[in-house]
Amino acid sequence: MATLQDIGVSALINVLGAFAFLLAFALLRVQPINDRVYFPKWYISGGRSSPRRAGNSVGKLVNLDIKTSLTFLNWMPQALKMSEAEIINHAGLDSAVFLRIYTLGLKIFVPITILALVILIPVNVSSGTLFFLRKELVMSNIDKLSISNVRPRSIRFFIHIALQYAFTIWTCFMLYKEYDHVASMRLHFLASQRRHAEQFTVVVRNVPHVSGRSVLDTAEQFFKKNHPNTYLCQQAVYNANKFAKLVRKRDRLQNWLDYNQLKSERHPDKRPTRKKGFLGIWGERVDSIEYYKQQIKLLEKNMASERQKVLKDSKSILPVSFVSFNSRWGAAVCAQTQQSKNPTLWLTNWAPEPRDIYWRNLAIPFVSLTVRKLIISLSVFALVFFYMIPIAFVQSLANLEGLEKVAPFLRPVIELIPRTIGVSIPMKATFFITYIMVDGWAGIAGEILRLKPLIIFHLKNMFLVKTERDREKAMNPGSVGFPKTLPRLQLYFLLGIVYAVVTPILLPFILVFFAFAYLAYRHQIVNVYNQQYESAAAFWPHVHSRIIASLLISQLLLLGLLSTKKAANSTPLLVILPILTLSFHNYCKSRFEPAFRKYPLEASFEAMEKDILDRTTESDINLKAYLADAYLHPIFHSFEEEELVEVNVERNKSHT
């Protein structure tokens, strides 16, 4: 069992590890050769085109000024310079709200930590029950700071219950304020956004098949009839997955052609060559430039044939369409109303922004999607149902009286699983303290160091980068990665909320994590990450509900813990707390969640005002031209300008 000395040694090791990572980061980030690894966001946004410290030939690769490396923590105040409004403009609302999760953690846990350390630590230490159990349990001095040290049936448990109420009320209060603020930020962000295609567009699924008509004709007739004053245009969705493979193949060939042309320019006296066989291993040796030009020419013929097939074949047009309107108001009305008497047809929703579309999945038929959902639901049901059989058997044994009847020889142990559990659960906090220091301190320092992207960038630069376009792809700035970071954050909320009353000594370690992670991710968002899409903080209800779940777990855990401590008189006071917490959650769900699922009418009126302002200030804007190709399959954008015009002409002919 870890002692205070062990925790101190572990803390020292992890602090030194984090310090080493930060020092390495300070040395590496000022090197011009690493500029695209530690500041890719500024290259992508156009704020930087070359390292700022580049000088002579040596200075372009290495920074020889030692003074810049000595101030290895100067990135912290630099990360705090940008205001929240500037971060929204620079990186989007998702990034700004993601940072607010860390500040929310600080707002919740700073007062809780102060109260817990001032009140609960003296209460726990002065009880001394672990002194009488020292022969039955392996313990350390740190365990005397937990609720395990309180004697069974002690009146002191009322203090723990009172603080559980106080912590729950404070957490709910902060959650309410934050939910309200984030909802307002989201609505303001949506209303104040500059003109974007998704503001005027809805995605229409399950367009019905009408005999003798194409999907384009059916959709156009429907929306001209039902939205005559606001309908503007539409973009058909093509099943172009095969064509997309050809485009990717052409891009690879083009990269090799560019590489060989650059090679030839550097050494004009020697033309690059390669073998025609598999992977250039065997076969006749030919001129590389001519070879790739010929391969691209042949491939483009196949692409043109496949493109015509996609555009001409009615089966290539999916029963999905991106329908655009001449105003934001028109799109809002269409997106939030049922279009047909049959609720399974003409399904409308706000169109995602074009870069957030996974085009391959649009080719999956509606019936196939329904069948897939059914299969997944049945699979989950079967998994849970058949899993219940062994669980029910184990639970029957887990009942202490039942287990005593089945195995009488376990009676001495059974009379001892409740008292032992009552003191041993809080004592597991030492493991989580160590975990927080490793993952939350040294791990966050490792995140800002970006050692893996640094190595991969230089390996690509050495072996794969052939053109400037390749160099941009090699930067790989990454993004916040919500599927990975949000569960990690929720774990820290869970640990802090659960152990706040049980083992409050864990809370300072949680605070260090939230403060350090806030600074680190703020730096990454400002200088590194480039978000792939913008959801306007649509993930916040998920964050809120998981923190509520953490509150419920902490309440139920304390309830069970007190029952093992024979505090039957005090446990009924905790029963009402989960009910109140769930009531609060349901209130927040009905009060704020519609702002994340629907577009309120008040915001729609703001959209109407913005439409009027656009027409007043930009009367000459051609909205139809602006929206015409916004949702064109990205593979068509890989053509040259004249080829793109040809695609549009063909599309219009098909439409006619």
Side-chain angles (χ1 to χ4, degrees):
M1 185 63 66
T3 64
L4 282 172
Q5 184 178 0
D6 296 332
I7 296 295
V9 171
S10 179
L12 178 62
I13 292 172
N14 283 282
V15 167
L16 290 176
F19 180 84
F21 282 147
L22 293 178
L23 186 59
F25 167 68
L27 293 171
L28 292 171
R29 77 186 185 102
V30 297
Q31 307 305 320
I33 195 174
N34 299 328
D35 209 54
R36 290 178 181 268
V37 177
Y38 293 106
F39 300 96
K41 179 69 176 177
W42 296 103
Y43 282 90
I44 293 171
S45 64
R48 184 178 296 189
S49 59
S50 61
R52 292 183 176 180
R53 298 178 179 88
N56 53 31
S57 57
V58 177
K60 290 180 179 179
L61 300 177
V62 182
N63 180 14
L64 300 176
D65 186 2
I66 302 178
K67 294 181 181 179
T68 57
S69 302
L70 295 178
T71 55
F72 68 99
L73 292 179
N74 65 345
W75 62 269
M76 291 186 177
Q78 289 174 4
L80 295 172
K81 284 182 180 179
M82 193 175 284
S83 66
E84 186 175 70
E86 290 173 329
I87 287 179
I88 293 174
N89 292 329
H90 178 68
L93 183 64
D94 280 348
S95 299
V97 172
F98 173 74
L99 291 176
R100 292 193 69 89
I101 303 177
Y102 292 96
T103 58
L104 174 64
L106 291 172
K107 291 174 184 176
I108 288 176
F109 288 116
V110 166
I112 287 178
T113 301
I114 295 172
L115 275 178
L117 295 180
V118 170
I119 297 175
L120 286 181
I121 293 292
V123 169
N124 294 337
V125 170
S126 59
S127 292
T129 191
L130 291 180
F131 175 80
F132 300 99
L133 294 174
R134 65 185 184 275
K135 295 180 180 179
E136 301 170 12
L137 292 171
V138 179
M139 66 192 78
S140 67
N141 290 331
I142 198 171
D143 300 319
K144 296 178 182 179
L145 307 176
S146 72
I147 198 174
S148 300
N149 202 36
V150 181
R151 294 173 181 269
R153 298 189 180 92
S154 173
I155 195 173
R156 299 182 181 214
F157 288 126
F158 286 102
I159 299 176
H160 295 83
I161 293 173
L163 284 181
Q164 181 69 52
Y165 269 89
F167 295 166
T168 299
I169 291 171
W170 173 251
T171 303
C172 291
F173 173 69
M174 294 309 304
L175 282 175
Y176 180 87
K177 288 187 64 178
E178 200 67 21
Y179 213 152
D180 186 24
H181 187 73
V182 172
S184 300
M185 289 176 68
R186 171 180 167 84
L187 294 177
H188 180 264
F189 179 79
L190 292 173
S192 61
Q193 266 187 320
R194 292 178 297 176
R195 186 187 298 108
H196 290 294
E198 63 269 19
Q199 298 171 351
F200 299 87
T201 308
V202 299
V203 58
V204 184
R205 295 186 178 88
N206 214 21
V207 177
H209 173 71
V210 178
S211 180
R213 290 184 189 171
S214 67
V215 173
L216 288 164
D217 292 334
T218 303
E220 172 140 349
Q221 239 181 6
F222 178 85
F223 284 99
K224 277 188 173 180
K225 177 182 177 182
N226 294 284
H227 300 269
N229 298 323
T230 55
Y231 170 74
L232 185 63
C233 61
Q234 65 168 315
Q235 173 60 63
V237 178
Y238 299 97
N239 184 359
N241 291 342
K242 183 178 178 182
F243 187 57
K245 292 180 181 178
L246 296 175
V247 171
R248 289 194 294 270
K249 186 176 179 181
R250 188 190 70 168
D251 289 342
R252 289 195 297 269
L253 292 173
Q254 185 65 47
N255 277 347
W256 278 111
L257 176 60
D258 294 343
Y259 168 71
N260 282 282
Q261 286 176 335
L262 287 173
K263 193 175 180 181
S264 178
E265 289 174 4
R266 291 171 185 169
H267 306 283
D269 55 328
K270 185 179 179 182
R271 295 277 290 183
T273 60
R274 61 155 286 158
K275 293 182 179 179
K276 293 177 66 176
F278 178 71
L279 294 177
I281 299 174
W282 59 71
E284 180 188 354
R285 185 168 292 277
V286 295
D287 184 280
S288 296
I289 295 176
E290 296 302 323
Y291 172 80
Y292 286 114
K293 282 183 178 179
Q294 184 181 8
Q295 291 295 312
I296 291 173
K297 188 176 181 181
L298 291 173
L299 188 60
E300 285 182 342
K301 287 183 179 179
N302 294 335
M303 291 172 63
S305 175
E306 182 63 26
R307 182 192 56 169
Q308 293 302 317
K309 182 180 177 182
V310 168
L311 294 172
K312 300 293 186 182
D313 189 357
S314 59
K315 294 181 181 179
S316 297
I317 301 178
L318 303 173
V320 182
S321 184
F322 291 99
V323 179
S324 298
F325 297 82
N326 58 18
S327 65
R328 298 175 182 84
W329 167 262
V333 170
C334 181
Q336 300 183 153
T337 54
Q338 184 173 313
Q339 302 298 312
S340 171
K341 294 178 181 178
N342 185 345
T344 63
L345 300 176
W346 299 104
L347 305 178
T348 59
N349 206 343
W350 281 106
E353 58 172 299
R355 59 182 176 166
D356 192 20
I357 298 172
Y358 192 66
W359 293 92
R360 284 187 186 180
N361 283 357
L362 288 176
I364 301 175
F366 181 78
V367 175
S368 178
L369 282 175
T370 306
V371 172
R372 292 184 187 197
K373 290 178 182 178
L374 178 62
I375 292 173
I376 292 297
S377 300
L378 292 176
S379 301
V380 172
F381 173 78
L383 178 64
V384 174
F385 179 78
F386 290 109
Y387 187 68
M388 285 173 62
I389 296 175
I391 289 298
F393 173 73
V394 174
Q395 279 190 332
S396 67
L397 297 179
N399 181 278
L400 295 182
E401 290 77 10
L403 184 58
E404 189 174 351
K405 291 178 182 178
V406 174
F409 62 89
L410 292 177
R411 182 175 298 169
V413 179
I414 292 170
E415 291 176 353
L416 179 65
I417 297 181
R419 183 172 55 170
T420 303
I421 290 175
V423 297
S424 62
I425 288 178
M427 291 161 62
K428 300 301 179 186
T430 53
F431 165 78
F432 290 113
I433 289 174
T434 306
Y435 173 82
I436 292 167
M437 289 189 290
V438 174
D439 179 75
W441 297 6
I444 293 297
E447 169 68 25
I448 201 171
L449 179 59
R450 303 198 79 218
L451 188 59
K452 181 180 176 182
L454 177 69
I455 295 172
I456 292 176
F457 173 77
H458 286 300
L459 287 175
K460 287 183 176 179
N461 219 16
M462 290 171 61
F463 301 108
L464 299 178
V465 170
K466 298 179 281 293
T467 64
E468 192 63 28
R469 181 172 55 183
D470 290 339
R471 197 182 314 281
E472 291 178 5
K473 290 181 180 178
M475 283 195 302
N476 187 24
S479 60
V480 171
F482 296 116
K484 177 183 175 182
T485 52
L486 289 183
R488 183 191 196 185
L489 263 172
Q490 289 152 13
L491 174 62
Y492 283 98
F493 274 103
L494 176 65
L495 292 176
I497 291 172
V498 165
Y499 279 97
V501 174
V502 174
T503 311
I505 194 62
L506 178 139
L507 291 174
F509 299 89
I510 291 282
L511 285 181
V512 173
F513 161 75
F514 277 109
F516 185 37
Y518 172 73
L519 290 171
Y521 278 106
R522 211 176 200 276
H523 172 273
Q524 300 297 81
I525 285 171
V526 171
N527 296 305
V528 180
Y529 294 149
N530 184 45
Q531 287 304 107
Q532 297 177 351
Y533 58 87
E534 176 63 55
S535 72
F539 57 84
W540 189 260
H542 174 84
V543 174
H544 176 89
S545 63
R546 292 306 180 271
I547 298 177
I548 291 292
S550 299
L551 281 174
L552 292 172
I553 291 172
S554 70
Q555 295 157 8
L556 295 176
L557 178 63
L558 184 61
L559 186 64
L561 197 59
L562 292 181
S563 67
T564 65
K565 301 283 278 185
K566 301 179 181 179
N569 294 331
S570 57
T571 50
L573 296 174
L574 278 173
V575 174
I576 194 174
L577 197 54
I579 299 173
L580 294 175
T581 304
L582 284 173
S583 300
F584 167 77
H585 175 59
N586 290 330
Y587 172 75
C588 288
K589 191 178 179 70
S590 59
R591 168 70 175 81
F592 299 115
E593 193 166 318
F596 295 83
R597 301 286 179 260
K598 299 176 182 178
Y599 201 64
L601 186 63
E602 184 179 1
S604 297
F605 282 121
E606 292 177 1
M608 185 185 293
E609 293 175 358
K610 196 165 185 181
D611 290 330
I612 296 172
L613 181 64
D614 281 355
R615 286 193 288 267
T616 304
T617 57
E618 300 179 82
S619 57
D620 58 340
I621 185 69
N622 188 344
L623 193 58
K624 189 171 184 177
Y626 173 74
L627 297 171
D629 298 320
Y631 287 91
L632 187 67
H633 198 295
I635 59 167
F636 294 125
H637 291 294
S638 65
F639 289 98
E640 301 297 333
E641 187 64 30
E642 61 272 12
E643 292 175 313
L644 183 59
V645 172
E646 185 181 348
V647 170
N648 292 335
V649 171
E650 293 297 332
R651 183 194 59 185
N652 292 334
K653 285 182 182 178
S654 177
H655 170 73
T656 303

